[in-house]
Every structure is written in C-alpha cells, then in structure tokens.
Amino acid sequence: MKLEVIKSYTLAILVGISFLLTFSLWSYQSNSPYLEEEGLVNEEEIDLGGTTVTKKSIVQPTSIIFNKYDNYFGFSDPGEREDLYHDIQTWVLYNFRVTDANGAPNEGPQVELTFPDALPMEIIPSIFTVNNTAEIDMPENMFFQRMFISLKSNNNTLTFIFLSTDGKTQVKADVNNTQKRELLNDYMVKLTGLEEYTMIDDPGYPIYIPMNPVDITKYYLDSAIIAPDVMKNILFLDPAEVVENVSDDNEIWYQDGQRSMRVFKNKLSMEYINSQETVYNPMSVTDLLDKSINRINSYKGWTDDFRLESVSTAQNNIRFQMYYDGYPVFNPDNLTIIEQRWINDEVTEQRRPLYQITDPYPESFKLESGNELIKYLKSHQTYNLTKIEDIQVGYRLYSMESLGNSRTLTLMPSWYVKMDGEWLQVTIDSENVNRKGVS
C-alpha cells in the first residue's frame, strides 16, 4: 500500500515538473524578438555600426523661439538650441493640471517650442523629467505640437504649457528652479547667442524664420558605404535562402518569395517590402515610435543623426529625418530618411540610406535672409503663404564620385518650405524653383 502511495506521489511530482517545463517554454520570450527573422548569423553580421537612441533623444523641437513682447528671437547656432533643449529635458515638472485654453498663451515673456509633428500628451513623461510619474493622469487622445514656457509668475516658478492641437485645451506643469528661471531671463534680457526672427502668421501655426542673412557652413563629406548584405541578414527570415539578382540598370534585388529588398543603382539607399494582407490595426503613436526605435536599435541602425519627422497612425507609417550640424538634410531620392511601415507588429516596408558620414570638410557660406525669402515667395504664384506648413533652413545632399567603398557627398545650404506634407527646395537667386518632393 505504501509502495502505491509513493508511486502516486512520484507520478504527481513528475507531472508537475512536466507542466512547469511546458509552461516555461510557452511563456519564454527571447531577448532578441527578431532572432527568427535574422536567421543563423553572427552578431557582427547584423550590426550596421551606428548607435542606439531613445524617445528622449530622437524627439526634438525644430525651433525654440523667445517671445519678448511680440518681438521674436531664435538661436544663431542650432547647436546652442539643442543644448538648451537637452537642459530643459532635465528640469523636474510637477503639479500637472488640465485647463481650458483659447489658443496660444500670450501673457508676457515666454519661450515657444515647436515639434515636427503632433505628439500625444502621454509622451510627456518619456521626453521630459516628471515628478511622481505614476500619479499623472494624462488626457487620452489629445495631442500637442507646441509647448510654451511662461515667465509670467513673479516667483521662481516656470510654467510649462502643452497646448492641444485644436487650441482648446492645455496641460500645465510647474518647474520650481531659481537657476533655470534666471537662465531664461538672461536670454530674454541679454539676447546672448540669439538673433531676430520674423513671424509669418500662418492659419495653422505661426512660422518663425531668421530675419537677416544666415551664416552657415557648407560641407564636403566623405562617407562609407554600408554593405547591403548586412541589411539582408537583418530583414530576411533565412538569409541563406535569399536569391540575389542584378537588373539591367544595375540595381541589386534580394528575394525569398514573400520578401524583397531593392538596392538602388547609386548603392546609397535601399527599399524593403514584405508582402502581407492589407488588413491591419492602426497603432498608437507611442507604440509605433517604441517599436520602430527598438527595432532599429537592435541592429545599431542609427548610422547618422536622425530625428523624428512624422508619424501616421492611419498607415502605421513613421519617418525619421537626417540632421547634420543641427540642420535637416534633404534629398530628392530619399537618401536622408529612414521610413518604416508596420503591420501586425512586423515591419512590412522600410527605406533607408546605405552610407555613413565620416570626415567633413567645411566651407563658409551665407544664405539669403528670411525677409528676402518672404519677398520671393510672395512674388511667385507657385507659393501660397497661407498653405505653407513650415519653413526651415536645411541642407540639400548631393552625391559625387564613388571611390571603392566610399562616396563623396556635398551638403549645400538652402531654404525649404513644407507644402502638402512635402519639403520643397527654394532657390531664391533663380527663376527656377525646384518643386520636387525632397524628403
């Protein structure tokens, strides 16, 4: 009888162990969620040699404007603008509250930050420093593209105002820091490192551009070509099963039936498509941003300075723009963007550069003033100021001769206007205005 009891206990223990092992296998998640797609390859074979980023580093404003009683000032050097923003990100925000708004605040000296696209209020704790994050209840389905720092208070407090995109609601938070308030006051009073900007009163958001000619650097750059095989190892389920072909126009195609990757003949960019059913669920901005960042981080794919440009939840599409020396870089052949589309937690489309900038060779350059630009835009029917979404000083990237595994590039300073979601280069000293989309 005792023997039967022992057998029963032994069987129960074995069944329990079997259940635990089975459950562990079911619930196990690899540290690399894309291991199956990456195939049996070494770590070096799925490393683009770039860096990793976070939401805090890749989501940055395109402008910081000091509003001094309706006189506008911005940084002469975009590097100083970035330094201030990184400092602002460390200031501790507390006392969050939601109030009604009647458009942008205008209650005395204030600093205005504009982001490249609308962001959900829930992203605030991810890109700024927040006290007691767990206690903050951010409004759902509410977005902001502009935020303001008000110096109205007579005490040491700064008030952060995140204005909803419809201008009817605002999320406020306070910063109690005497040193940081004095920092912004000094900018307002001394205008150190600042220059005067002019405002274009746009029906959407006001656009601020430098009033005077812009001192900027033109660059000649050396760049290293990224081997397409690395992207093949990253994107395909089993790289060993991928068929490679070279077309008559010298484009390289990689295919495995469902997936295809096209390396353009200039060898500077690629396009990937994973054919899937078109039925999909829209992703939230934060989910799309998180997944895209994590995916590109997994193979160190940030090979140059990229920043968030736009997010479309309707298409699950996200785009990152290359920057150099603090300015956006554009190219009509999409050589300066990383773009992804996601369906069912998987990248189904991707476009990206296949080069990495190495050595720069600078040259002084002076760009026409903002006043000249406005005069030019008003005198050409091609442009309707009421339909311009944004204006930026940027670089046009030109590709020059190829030397083995390197390529010489040129960054030419230029004015750019954004219309219908596309960035257009404006050449003021010529009657010919390039209206081809460049981002």
Side-chain angles (χ1 to χ4, degrees), residues 6-20:
I6 293 173
K7 287 182 178 180
S8 298
Y9 278 121
T10 302
L11 180 60
I13 291 171
L14 290 174
V15 170
I17 292 173
S18 176
F19 174 79
L20 289 174

Side-chain angles (χ1 to χ4, degrees), residues 206-262:
I207 299 171
Y208 305 96
I209 59 176
M211 183 180 293
N212 298 314
V214 180
D215 290 317
I216 187 173
T217 304
K218 174 183 176 181
Y219 285 100
Y220 299 97
L221 305 169
D222 288 340
S223 66
I225 301 299
I226 297 171
D229 279 356
V230 181
M231 289 305 301
K232 178 191 73 173
N233 295 336
I234 292 167
L235 295 171
F236 286 87
L237 181 66
D238 183 357
E241 297 297 321
V242 175
V243 176
E244 178 181 341
N245 291 295
V246 180
S247 65
D248 293 337
D249 55 358
N250 206 29
E251 293 184 340
I252 305 175
W253 286 84
Y254 298 87
Q255 295 174 307
D256 69 353
Q258 179 178 326
R259 299 169 175 83
S260 66
M261 186 178 89
R262 175 188 182 190

Side-chain angles (χ1 to χ4, degrees), residues 186-198:
D186 282 346
Y187 275 119
M188 288 287 186
V189 174
K190 300 176 182 177
L191 303 178
T192 305
L194 304 180
E195 62 179 324
E196 193 166 3
Y197 273 52
T198 185

Side-chain angles (χ1 to χ4, degrees), residues 193-429:
L194 304 180
E195 62 179 324
E196 193 166 3
Y197 273 52
T198 185
M199 183 187 75
I200 301 174
D201 196 5
D202 185 85
Y205 297 135
I207 299 171
Y208 305 96
I209 59 176
M211 183 180 293
N212 298 314
V214 180
D215 290 317
I216 187 173
T217 304
K218 174 183 176 181
Y219 285 100
Y220 299 97
L221 305 169
D222 288 340
S223 66
I225 301 299
I226 297 171
D229 279 356
V230 181
M231 289 305 301
K232 178 191 73 173
N233 295 336
I234 292 167
L235 295 171
F236 286 87
L237 181 66
D238 183 357
E241 297 297 321
V242 175
V243 176
E244 178 181 341
N245 291 295
V246 180
S247 65
D248 293 337
D249 55 358
N250 206 29
E251 293 184 340
I252 305 175
W253 286 84
Y254 298 87
Q255 295 174 307
D256 69 353
Q258 179 178 326
R259 299 169 175 83
S260 66
M261 186 178 89
R262 175 188 182 190
V263 179
F264 294 95
K265 61 182 179 181
N266 58 23
K267 305 298 185 290
L268 294 177
S269 65
M270 51 77 62
E271 178 183 65
Y272 165 81
I273 296 177
N274 179 4
S275 302
Q276 288 202 10
E277 296 181 6
T278 56
V279 178
Y280 64 95
N281 295 320
M283 299 166 61
S284 69
V285 171
T286 51
D287 194 23
L288 190 55
L289 188 57
D290 283 336
K291 288 185 180 298
S292 185
I293 288 175
N294 292 338
R295 177 60 171 137
I296 298 173
N297 280 350
S298 71
Y299 51 84
K300 295 182 180 178
W302 307 104
T303 46
D304 284 298
D305 182 10
F306 288 89
R307 303 176 192 178
L308 179 68
E309 167 66 18
S310 63
V311 183
S312 171
T313 56
Q315 298 294 325
N316 287 352
N317 194 80
I318 188 166
R319 173 178 287 198
F320 303 94
Q321 183 78 47
M322 181 186 291
Y323 275 68
Y324 195 84
D325 207 17
Y327 294 101
V329 183
F330 303 98
N331 178 269
D333 295 320
N334 291 330
L335 300 182
T336 59
I337 63 166
I338 296 177
E339 188 170 20
Q340 292 182 337
R341 188 184 183 202
W342 287 72
I343 294 180
N344 301 326
D345 289 334
E346 190 173 359
V347 177
T348 58
E349 295 181 28
Q350 176 165 305
R351 297 163 188 83
R352 65 158 296 130
L354 287 177
Y355 64 89
Q356 185 171 14
I357 294 172
T358 54
D359 300 317
Y361 303 93
E363 182 180 295
S364 297
F365 193 92
K366 190 176 288 289
L367 193 62
E368 298 87 357
S369 70
N371 286 338
E372 289 179 82
L373 173 69
I374 294 173
K375 185 184 300 183
Y376 182 86
L377 296 177
K378 287 181 177 179
S379 65
H380 286 73
Q381 295 182 352
T382 305
Y383 302 98
N384 183 341
L385 287 181
T386 62
K387 294 185 178 180
I388 292 178
E389 301 163 18
D390 197 2
I391 300 176
Q392 293 282 334
V393 174
Y395 284 117
R396 164 72 183 266
L397 182 141
Y398 293 91
S399 171
M400 300 174 70
E401 69 271 12
S402 175
L403 299 173
N405 291 327
S406 64
R407 181 71 63 92
T408 301
L409 308 171
T410 300
L411 294 184
M412 177 64 71
S414 182
W415 282 104
Y416 284 87
V417 301
K418 190 176 185 180
M419 297 178 64
D420 297 325
E422 288 190 83
W423 286 102
L424 315 173
Q425 184 182 7
V426 182
T427 307
I428 296 177
D429 60 355

Side-chain angles (χ1 to χ4, degrees), residues 77-260:
D77 180 356
E80 294 185 24
R81 180 192 72 213
E82 293 169 10
D83 290 342
L84 175 61
Y85 177 65
H86 295 322
D87 189 12
I88 290 172
Q89 288 181 296
T90 67
W91 303 356
V92 180
L93 279 64
Y94 73 101
N95 189 26
F96 278 83
R97 63 268 190 198
V98 181
T99 65
D100 294 335
N102 185 20
N106 187 16
E107 302 174 347
Q110 62 186 18
V111 183
E112 179 178 348
L113 290 77
T114 304
F115 291 87
D117 203 356
L119 301 170
M121 293 290 185
E122 64 195 53
I123 203 175
I124 292 173
S126 298
I127 60 178
F128 294 98
T129 303
V130 171
N131 187 33
N132 295 328
T133 304
E135 298 179 5
I136 299 173
D137 186 18
M138 289 294 178
E140 295 182 359
N141 301 316
M142 185 179 294
F143 294 78
F144 72 96
Q145 192 167 353
R146 292 191 296 164
M147 62 163 283
F148 302 83
I149 304 176
S150 173
L151 286 76
K152 177 185 176 183
S153 173
N154 292 323
N155 55 31
N156 296 326
T157 303
L158 296 168
T159 301
F160 279 51
I161 303 169
F162 300 88
L163 182 67
S164 65
T165 50
D166 64 5
K168 297 179 180 180
T169 309
Q170 56 194 9
V171 172
K172 288 186 173 184
D174 296 325
V175 170
N176 189 3
N177 190 315
T178 303
Q179 181 183 2
K180 301 309 180 183
R181 182 181 175 87
E182 289 177 353
L183 173 67
L184 296 186
N185 271 329
D186 282 346
Y187 275 119
M188 288 287 186
V189 174
K190 300 176 182 177
L191 303 178
T192 305
L194 304 180
E195 62 179 324
E196 193 166 3
Y197 273 52
T198 185
M199 183 187 75
I200 301 174
D201 196 5
D202 185 85
Y205 297 135
I207 299 171
Y208 305 96
I209 59 176
M211 183 180 293
N212 298 314
V214 180
D215 290 317
I216 187 173
T217 304
K218 174 183 176 181
Y219 285 100
Y220 299 97
L221 305 169
D222 288 340
S223 66
I225 301 299
I226 297 171
D229 279 356
V230 181
M231 289 305 301
K232 178 191 73 173
N233 295 336
I234 292 167
L235 295 171
F236 286 87
L237 181 66
D238 183 357
E241 297 297 321
V242 175
V243 176
E244 178 181 341
N245 291 295
V246 180
S247 65
D248 293 337
D249 55 358
N250 206 29
E251 293 184 340
I252 305 175
W253 286 84
Y254 298 87
Q255 295 174 307
D256 69 353
Q258 179 178 326
R259 299 169 175 83
S260 66

